[in-house]
Amino acid sequence: MLSILRSLVQEVNSARDLKEAMEIIVSRVQKAMTTEVCSVYLLDPATNRYILMATEGLYKDSVGKVSLAYSEGLVGLVGAREEPINLEDAPSHPRYRYFPETGEERFRSFLGVPIIHHRRVLGVLVVQQRESSRCFDEGEEAFLVTVSAQLAGVIAHSEATGAISGLSLTGEETKDISFSGVPGAPGVAIGTGMVVYPSADLDVVPEKPTENIEQELELFRSAVQAVREDIERVANRLASQLRPEEQALFDVYLRMLDDEALPGEVAIRIREGVWAQGALKQVVQQYIRHFEMMDDHYLQERVVDIRDLGRRLLSHMQEGEQKHQEYPERTVLVSEELTPAMLGEVPKGQLVGLVSVKGSSNSHVAILARAMGVPTVMGLVDIPVNQLDGRELVVDGFEGQIFASPSADLRAFYQAICEEEDELFRGLEVLRDKPCETTDGHRVALLVNTGLMTDVVRSLSHGAEGIGLYRTEVPFMIKDRFPSEQEQREYYREQLEAFAPNPVTMRTLDIGGDKSLTYFPIEEENPFLGWRGIRVTLDHPEIFLVQVRAMLKASEGLNNLQIMLPMISNISEVEESLHLIYRVYHEVREEGYDIHMPKVGVMVEVPAAVYQIRELAERVDFLSVGSNDLTQYLLAVDRNNPRVAQLYHSYHPAVLQALVRIAQDARSVGKPVGICGELAGDPGGALLLMAMGYDSLSMNAASLPKVKSVIRSIDREWAIQLLEDVLLLDSPHVIKSCVDLALRNAGFGRYLRPGKSSSAAMAEQAVS
Ligand code: PEP
Ligand code: MG
């Protein structure tokens, strides 16, 4: 059973479109269950009707014509109940609905299971049988449920692909197709999708039509010729070392390159109007699928050869292409996995947005994007990347959402947001040198989070009062080995000098979790609960000591360094770290450097630390809450996993209670406490934190002017009252709405961005 399932999923995965996917499903399931009918009905979001998409056993010409209203018939019942329905005599069921055009009256037993993806019913998979004596047994029901669960993701993906091509299930034109991921860098961008992919990777080649058929054919022919020559050259070189039967392998390769073999089929597809790389991808995938299904082990092994050949041909075709890549004027770069090098290739001034399937807001690219101020969405799991090339896209980096083929209304809605943002920033420039204090004189320090020098430049122009979090892993990530002490010293000096005499808080290396260094890979089953942050550096004192030494030397003559320890979950980690820092301090002074002992602080980002605030605070100079990690650990929700993104909520009552407790306990021992997670840069979050008594808020440079303008317009009592009100509530969503409403009433509605689900609705409202 498992092998049937595996090959079914594989086949469906490589189907060319939704229609082919559906046909494969019904024909394979019908065969596997030896049943007379297998049909699949998909729920069309545009009409809210179930449409018969494919069938084996019913009249084929009813496909696409027969449809049922949302709650009509047994199919509707399966969808509404969201569970299987297994009937021995379907026609006697009150919900049975008869469609003469399907030829259905001859079938009596009915088993229908819903196809559900991320809580959304996509459709219903049905098997039927003529004799009433056959009731589908439990095993068959379980099989169909398994098939449906496995295929739901694939169907969602092909459905999205269809929608992207501008067609709904019924063939009507669709607009405003949205996909949700996680925010990578704030802001909104409207531009043209440009799919970039690592070279010589067939799987990521986009689907593109061509009008220049002759040119594509020529490109392909010369690639075939070049690969032929490569193989002959290798074969000749190895001739003396191989036995004849081994040499025959090269002949197999060369035969595959004969005109009537793979090249012939690719040429046919090119003539049908597919660009050469896309045609090669289609044919190679078809071959692979075919060989993988063979029982013969020898033939199965040929998959490796085909793949290799495909890669070689592609690499030759791409050689010429790399040289004259044309980027749209407003490029939205789209990729399975964006790399910083890809960003660097876009001509200056043309990059407006970024979209990546893999990665999270903590990925290197997202950090870079924030530094460059390019709106970015990461972790778009179900997106058909290859279909986005050349399409108009809207990137909503606030909410982690993108829209393809936007309607004029949606475009206008987002255009207005872009203009408002620009205007807002221009308007806020006057606040740069004004203090961040409430109308009744309560001061809060507004600091920035940095990683690169670009962040520093932007922060200074936004009026930051210091650095609350310098993520030292960023300079480590852009190298291909650990940076030397001298290199680190130079990076650190830049940051310290830029803000002197204001404080610069440097966090010791925080790798592990999802932050990895290519030259120091950490492979773990459960990385967020594994070897992370201080745990790594205490196990590698040679890394920790060099880093602290570089920090201390860099601070000479400036005296504005603060050192912060990440991922502290035990008092002993603080004591060991302090011991090492003191040691380095004395050594560096003995070397003749005129330095001061820096303030040392602890990050509170693990629930254990919340309950040991006093013990921690007694040992250090300050505390800083890492609300990003604290939220993920308190709620047990991976901060980068788009599947559970709706559960990740910094306004969760448990998170707010923890934040209140931290501030109170720190205050009770007289130690300053700040926050450097994303919540500090959210205007509503900043208000609550200020009311809780946090002394400093550290955030992205882009958020700083908004937060300052909100805090400068209210009095602290008002914020305290708001905090007291929301602490009585038990739902994160209600709390968020309550805070939003308060902001709106205070005249800051323009700082609120549309929610994920409400963007399209708001766009409609904006027009009506
Ligand atoms: C945090 O966890 O809130 C934090 C600021 O650190 P990072 O996002 O780098 O893990
Ligand atoms: Mg953290």
Side-chain angles (χ1 to χ4, degrees):
M1 214 41 115
L2 201 57
S3 71
I4 297 179
L5 262 176
R6 198 173 294 141
S7 75
L8 175 59
V9 171
Q10 224 165 39
E11 267 193 87
V12 173
N13 250 327
S14 47
R16 267 200 283 166
D17 51 30
L18 186 60
K19 190 165 172 294
E20 190 179 301
M22 298 293 108
E23 280 161 6
I24 296 172
I25 293 172
V26 292
S27 104
R28 300 291 178 273
V29 171
Q30 187 221 26
K31 219 180 272 158
M33 292 182 70
T34 52
T35 173
E36 283 162 324
V37 176
C38 178
S39 317
V40 58
Y41 297 81
L42 289 191
L43 186 61
D44 179 15
T47 55
N48 212 23
R49 292 182 73 84
Y50 286 98
I51 299 172
L52 177 63
M53 295 296 292
T55 182
E56 203 59 59
L58 299 182
Y59 295 150
K60 292 269 187 201
D61 49 9
S62 56
V63 167
K65 294 188 192 122
V66 165
S67 74
L68 295 97
Y70 180 70
S71 53
E72 194 181 354
L74 291 172
V75 167
L77 191 61
V78 173
R81 291 183 54 86
E82 300 186 347
E83 61 176 348
I85 291 185
N86 191 355
L87 302 170
E88 199 170 338
D89 183 20
S92 67
H93 191 281
R95 289 290 290 271
Y96 178 77
R97 173 94 164 69
Y98 166 60
F99 291 97
E101 57 273 44
T102 61
E104 187 170 36
E105 79 268 34
R106 294 177 283 123
F107 301 101
R108 304 203 75 81
S109 337
F110 170 101
L111 167 61
V113 303
I115 306 168
I116 302 180
H117 183 61
H118 291 295
R119 297 191 181 194
R120 188 163 72 88
V121 176
L122 302 178
V124 176
L125 188 57
V126 175
V127 286
Q128 288 167 287
Q129 189 73 20
R130 198 182 310 259
E131 328 93 64
S132 61
S133 55
R134 173 171 183 186
C135 186
F136 293 102
D137 65 26
E138 269 188 24
E140 288 171 311
E141 192 175 313
F143 172 73
L144 206 61
V145 169
T146 316
V147 169
S148 153
Q150 286 244 6
L151 291 176
V154 187
I155 294 173
H157 190 83
S158 344
E159 205 181 82
T161 311
I164 281 288
S165 3
L167 292 178
S168 71
L169 295 181
T170 47
E172 281 147 32
E173 205 191 340
T174 51
K175 288 269 177 197
D176 299 347
I177 308 126
S178 69
F179 298 94
S180 295
V182 290
V188 166
I190 303 174
T192 310
M194 168 91 184
V195 177
V196 283
Y197 38 92
S199 52
D201 184 350
L202 269 175
D203 293 337
V204 297
V205 166
E207 302 282 338
K208 277 204 273 198
T210 181
E211 280 169 13
N212 216 332
I213 290 178
E214 281 313 314
Q215 191 181 314
E216 292 295 297
L217 278 172
E218 188 41 46
L219 181 69
F220 179 62
R221 276 192 213 112
S222 54
V224 172
Q225 188 51 33
V227 172
R228 242 179 200 293
E229 286 163 14
D230 286 351
I231 294 171
E232 279 163 357
R233 205 172 26 250
V234 176
N236 287 339
R237 193 165 352 116
L238 297 179
S240 59
Q241 303 163 38
L242 297 176
R243 290 198 304 263
E245 65 271 26
E246 289 164 346
Q247 273 189 50
L249 280 177
F250 290 104
D251 296 335
V252 174
Y253 257 64
L254 291 172
R255 271 204 303 279
M256 286 197 258
L257 287 175
D258 285 347
D259 277 352
E260 62 278 12
L262 187 135
E265 293 186 41
V266 175
I268 292 174
R269 303 216 180 197
I270 297 176
R271 288 204 180 86
E272 285 168 2
V274 183
W275 74 314
Q277 296 185 29
L280 175 70
K281 171 188 173 168
Q282 288 178 3
V283 173
V284 168
Q285 284 185 341
Q286 189 188 327
Y287 269 65
I288 291 176
R289 219 183 313 156
H290 186 71
F291 281 123
E292 273 176 348
M293 275 161 37
M294 304 266 183
D295 290 332
D296 184 325
H297 186 65
Y298 171 80
L299 289 173
Q300 279 181 357
E301 285 296 307
R302 295 284 66 77
V303 166
V304 180
D305 301 339
I306 296 278
R307 208 172 261 139
D308 181 45
L309 214 51
R311 200 179 45 76
R312 284 167 186 275
L313 287 164
L314 185 68
S315 146
H316 275 283
M317 285 194 273
Q318 289 179 338
E319 256 171 33
E321 188 195 46
Q322 301 293 341
K323 295 189 194 94
H324 38 77
Q325 187 85 276
E326 282 213 2
Y327 289 89
E329 209 170 299
R330 297 182 60 75
T331 299
V332 174
L333 220 49
V334 182
S335 184
E336 276 289 326
E337 187 159 25
L338 281 173
T339 65
M342 291 173 178
L343 265 65
E345 269 158 31
V346 186
K348 220 170 166 229
Q350 283 178 235
L351 181 65
V352 299
L354 295 170
V355 173
S356 183
V357 172
K358 293 196 185 140
S360 66
S361 55
N362 277 326
S363 303
H364 189 184
V365 158
I367 292 169
L368 208 63
R370 285 199 288 272
M372 292 163 66
V374 181
T376 301
V377 178
M378 311 283 293
L380 281 143
V381 201
D382 281 326
I383 196 174
V385 173
N386 293 342
Q387 305 281 324
L388 298 180
D389 201 65
R391 281 183 198 283
E392 186 177 18
L393 300 176
V394 172
V395 180
D396 182 345
F398 292 112
E399 298 297 334
Q401 197 169 28
I402 72 158
F403 294 89
S405 308
S407 59
D409 296 343
L410 193 83
R411 194 185 306 112
F413 173 71
Y414 274 103
Q415 189 62 45
I417 294 185
C418 291
E419 283 157 22
E420 255 176 47
E421 282 286 305
D422 289 348
E423 198 180 309
L424 201 61
F425 277 113
R426 279 196 301 276
L428 292 175
E429 268 165 23
V430 292
L431 293 181
R432 206 185 78 170
D433 300 319
K434 302 238 162 74
C436 177
E437 64 183 13
T438 55
T439 49
D440 50 345
H442 177 79
R443 280 289 306 245
V444 190
L446 288 197
L447 311 171
V448 274
N449 295 348
T450 62
L452 294 165
M453 206 43 208
T454 356
D455 295 325
V456 172
V457 178
R458 278 159 58 86
S459 323
L460 286 170
S461 66
H462 285 73
E465 296 166 62
I467 296 181
L469 165 64
Y470 169 46
R471 292 183 163 100
T472 58
E473 54 278 6
V474 177
F476 278 65
M477 280 161 142
I478 52 180
K479 308 251 355 147
D480 54 8
R481 53 165 175 75
F482 282 110
S484 67
E485 182 187 314
Q486 181 55 29
E487 283 167 334
Q488 289 187 50
R489 200 173 144 181
E490 284 163 22
Y491 294 135
Y492 303 158
R493 181 80 189 178
E494 274 183 334
Q495 303 267 331
L496 291 161
E497 263 177 354
F499 277 91
N502 287 337
V504 170
T505 314
M506 299 199 170
R507 177 170 73 182
T508 60
L509 191 64
D510 184 19
I511 50 169
D514 67 337
K515 285 181 268 191
S516 62
L517 303 175
T518 45
Y519 49 89
F520 189 67
I522 302 172
E523 298 280 334
E524 291 183 331
E525 283 277 306
N526 210 340
F528 274 119
L529 299 184
W531 206 42
R532 262 200 84 175
I534 201 73
R535 301 172 183 178
V536 177
T537 49
L538 284 180
D539 285 351
H540 277 279
E542 79 284 13
I543 299 174
F544 189 85
L545 291 169
V546 168
Q547 184 171 38
V548 173
R549 192 168 288 125
M551 288 177 181
L552 289 175
K553 287 183 182 171
S555 73
E556 192 183 30
L558 298 173
N559 192 22
N560 61 339
L561 168 70
Q562 307 199 134
I563 296 180
M564 185 156 77
L565 308 169
M567 275 295 287
I568 294 291
S569 57
N570 270 298
I571 300 296
S572 63
E573 291 163 339
V574 180
E575 289 178 338
E576 274 182 69
S577 306
L578 284 171
H579 173 76
L580 293 175
I581 295 172
Y582 283 128
R583 190 183 117 186
V584 178
Y585 167 69
H586 289 297
E587 285 170 2
V588 173
R589 276 186 70 89
E590 268 163 34
E591 280 180 49
Y593 287 88
D594 179 17
I595 52 162
H596 296 256
M597 179 64 195
K599 286 189 175 152
V600 179
V602 158
M603 283 196 77
V604 180
E605 47 186 351
V606 172
V610 177
Y611 297 97
Q612 285 197 296
I613 292 296
R614 290 200 183 90
E615 293 82 344
L616 290 168
E618 275 162 15
R619 288 165 171 83
V620 291
D621 303 298
F622 66 93
L623 299 169
S624 181
V625 178
S627 57
N628 305 339
D629 275 315
L630 187 59
T631 305
Q632 89 159 339
Y633 291 127
L634 275 176
L635 304 182
V637 175
D638 180 339
R639 61 194 260 189
N640 301 316
N641 184 344
R643 281 206 184 126
V644 287
Q646 300 91 322
L647 297 175
Y648 183 95
H649 224 303
S650 298
Y651 283 99
H652 191 292
V655 177
L656 296 183
Q657 296 288 357
L659 292 170
V660 168
R661 180 185 177 129
I662 296 167
Q664 277 171 353
D665 288 358
R667 181 161 297 230
S668 72
V669 284
K671 288 287 161 72
V673 60
I675 179 157
C676 56
E678 293 299 308
L679 185 63
D682 168 70
L687 278 184
L688 298 182
L689 293 163
M690 189 262 297
M692 289 176 196
Y694 282 86
D695 304 291
S696 63
L697 308 175
S698 190
M699 63 198 75
N700 266 317
S703 310
L704 205 136
K706 287 186 201 170
V707 168
K708 192 190 268 189
S709 103
V710 171
I711 291 183
R712 282 180 56 84
S713 315
I714 50 108
D715 70 62
R716 186 154 185 253
E717 275 314 308
W718 180 86
I720 290 176
Q721 188 55 55
L722 176 65
L723 175 66
E724 280 173 9
D725 291 346
V726 300
L727 286 176
L728 298 173
L729 302 169
D730 54 16
S731 147
H733 300 283
V734 179
I735 294 177
K736 173 89 173 85
S737 310
C738 189
V739 174
D740 284 356
L741 183 69
L743 278 175
R744 222 169 254 130
N745 289 343
F748 293 105
R750 63 192 188 284
Y751 292 176
L752 304 170
R753 290 291 153 224
K756 266 184 187 150
S757 52
S758 60
S759 298
M762 283 195 65
E764 270 163 35
Q765 265 176 29
V767 184
S768 61

